[in-house]
Each structure stands twice: as structure tokens, then as C-alpha cells.
Amino acid sequence: NAGVTQTPKFQVLKTGQSMTLQCAQDMNHNSMYWYRQDPGMGLRLIYYSASEGTTDKGEVPNGYNVSRLNKREFSLRLESAAPSQTSVYFCASSEWQGETQYFGPGTRLLVL
Amino acid sequence: AQSVSQHNHHVILSEAASLELGCNYSYGGTVNLFWYVQYPGQHLQLLLKYFSGDPLVKGIKGFEAEFIKSKFSFNLRKPSVQWSDTAEYFCAVNEGDTGTASKLTFGTGTRLQVTL
């Protein structure tokens, strides 16, 4: 049981480049989430998917898009990266909304 | 909107000292409460949670937390900290019942440094 996995672990982008962060879980969870973690600001929700086939905006969705590819996978896309998107990105999943969330190891993104 | 406050941003303790980290939230209805821990270089892990029942909950590694509804608080405690407890601690709150609950709102975190 790998839990929640994320790729890549680290990425450097130039301003304006695009990329997709991948997340997968093997716990048969229904809900999945993307957060960003910045110093002194805790974790902020970017997007979430309460169940397969649905996605909703979180607290800081601007500049991001998501795809719930299937029950296991939930990707986060940056269409045109900006330095303000330099952060650590965490994916999480839970059996249902409101239940305990399990986190992946994170992706450290640097936008120059 | 729900807000979660962690008043201690950085706490430094000597080994064997007692720990209490504050957490207050703003929502007056049904809540699910969590404490997560992030050890250096690692991802967040669940420390303990409260959904209902006994307001004093026990978690891993000797941690416990008490839900005081009248004070909108869920403070984390440990009687005697160890050097290995050095980490960042996050309080998080969900409004409502599981299955239909709102999104999880995190506090800004408390960095705990335990010295030998």
C-alpha cells in the first residue's frame, strides 16, 4: 500500500512555462485535494474533488486547473507558471469529505 | 468563512518539558477537529482527531487534545516532549457532518523546537 504518491518531487520552471503535477492514491478514497504550503501561511486548498467526476475550487484556485482522471488520480495543472506559484504542493485523499485526509510527500516547485 | 487560529508560531522547549499548543476556530456548529504533524522533510501525518464523544482524545506518540466547545478550542498537549517531537504542528477544522462536510481549513502552524 503506497498511500498517496506524487510526481515529480521537485521541479524548476521558468515564468510562463506549463506543467502538470500528478497525484495517485491506492486507498479507494472518494475525495481528493490539492494544497499549497507557504511559510507562515499553513496549507491552503487550491482545488478538491469530493467524488469521481466532480471538482470544485478551494481558497486559492487562480492560475490552476485540475482533472479528476479516475477515482485514483487527480492532477493539478499550471498553464502559465508565475513566481508567486513557487511553493510546496501537497495532494491528499480521504474516504469522504470530512474524514481524515492522508497526504502525499509533496512536490517542491520553483518558478524563476 | 471558517478560520483557525494557532497563536503560538514558534515554541522552543527543553526535553521533558510539558507542551500545550493552542488552537481556536470560528465556526459555532458541528465540527470535526484534527491535529497534523509535519516532521522535517516529511509530509503531513495525522496526530489525532475528534469527531464526537469523549472530548479528550489521545493520539500517537503520547499526544492528547481536549475539545472545549464553549471556548471553540482544541488544544494539543504532551506531558513530556522529546527531541524527536521537533516538527511543525497544524490544527485543522471541518464544518458539518462527515460525508457532507466542508473543506478542511488549516491553521498557520506552530513550529516546535525541542532542545537537548
Side-chain angles (χ1 to χ4, degrees):
Chain A
N1 233 2
V4 180
T5 57
Q6 292 182 237
T7 56
K9 291 184 179 179
F10 181 70
Q11 184 73 44
V12 179
L13 291 178
K14 294 181 180 178
T15 297
Q17 286 186 315
S18 63
M19 78 162 295
T20 300
L21 283 65
Q22 306 285 356
C23 173
Q25 52 90 10
D26 62 1
M27 295 176 282
N28 200 35
H29 285 170
N30 294 283
S31 302
M32 298 185 73
Y33 314 82
W34 276 106
Y35 294 90
R36 58 178 289 172
Q37 183 182 27
D38 301 292
M41 303 190 76
L43 277 79
R44 293 180 293 167
L45 184 66
I46 304 171
Y47 270 94
Y48 69 102
S49 171
S51 59
E52 188 179 356
T54 69
T55 60
D56 284 288
K57 295 179 180 179
E59 182 184 354
V60 288
N62 291 345
Y64 305 94
N65 282 301
V66 290
S67 295
R68 184 75 183 265
L69 304 170
N70 47 56
K71 192 172 185 179
R72 288 187 64 249
E73 298 172 287
F74 188 39
S75 63
L76 178 72
R77 182 159 178 85
L78 286 70
E79 291 291 352
S80 178
S84 61
Q85 294 178 304
T86 292
S87 187
V88 181
Y89 292 85
F90 288 99
C91 178
S93 71
S94 63
E95 188 170 1
W96 293 106
Q97 267 193 282
E99 299 280 358
T100 301
Q101 292 186 20
Y102 296 86
F103 286 81
T107 294
R108 190 172 295 272
L109 176 65
L110 175 62
V111 183
L112 302 174
Chain B
Q2 173 72 263
S3 66
V4 180
S5 300
Q6 292 183 244
H7 311 295
N8 316 103
H9 298 295
H10 189 192
V11 174
I12 302 174
L13 294 173
S14 300
E15 263 203 331
S18 64
L19 170 72
E20 180 159 3
L21 301 182
C23 173
N24 289 90
Y25 61 93
S26 61
Y27 183 66
T30 301
V31 290
N32 300 324
L33 302 158
F34 306 82
W35 275 98
Y36 283 88
V37 59
Q38 187 177 29
Y39 297 104
Q42 297 188 27
H43 60 283
L44 276 79
Q45 304 170 42
L46 181 69
L47 204 52
L48 49 78
K49 62 185 178 183
Y50 172 80
F51 284 3
S52 63
D54 189 343
L56 183 63
V57 293
K58 296 191 184 298
I60 60 171
K61 304 186 179 185
F63 285 91
E64 64 178 32
E66 185 174 12
F67 170 50
I68 303 179
K69 190 174 182 179
S70 61
K71 295 185 177 180
F72 299 89
S73 70
F74 190 55
N75 292 355
L76 181 71
R77 299 195 293 250
K78 185 171 184 178
S80 175
V81 295
Q82 299 174 308
W83 179 80
S84 58
D85 293 326
T86 294
E88 192 153 16
Y89 294 80
F90 294 93
C91 181
V93 180
N94 249 323
E95 300 171 21
D97 298 318
T98 57
T100 59
S102 72
K103 305 171 287 294
L104 197 61
T105 301
F106 281 84
T108 54
T110 297
R111 182 172 298 177
L112 172 65
Q113 185 179 346
V114 180
T115 60
L116 296 172

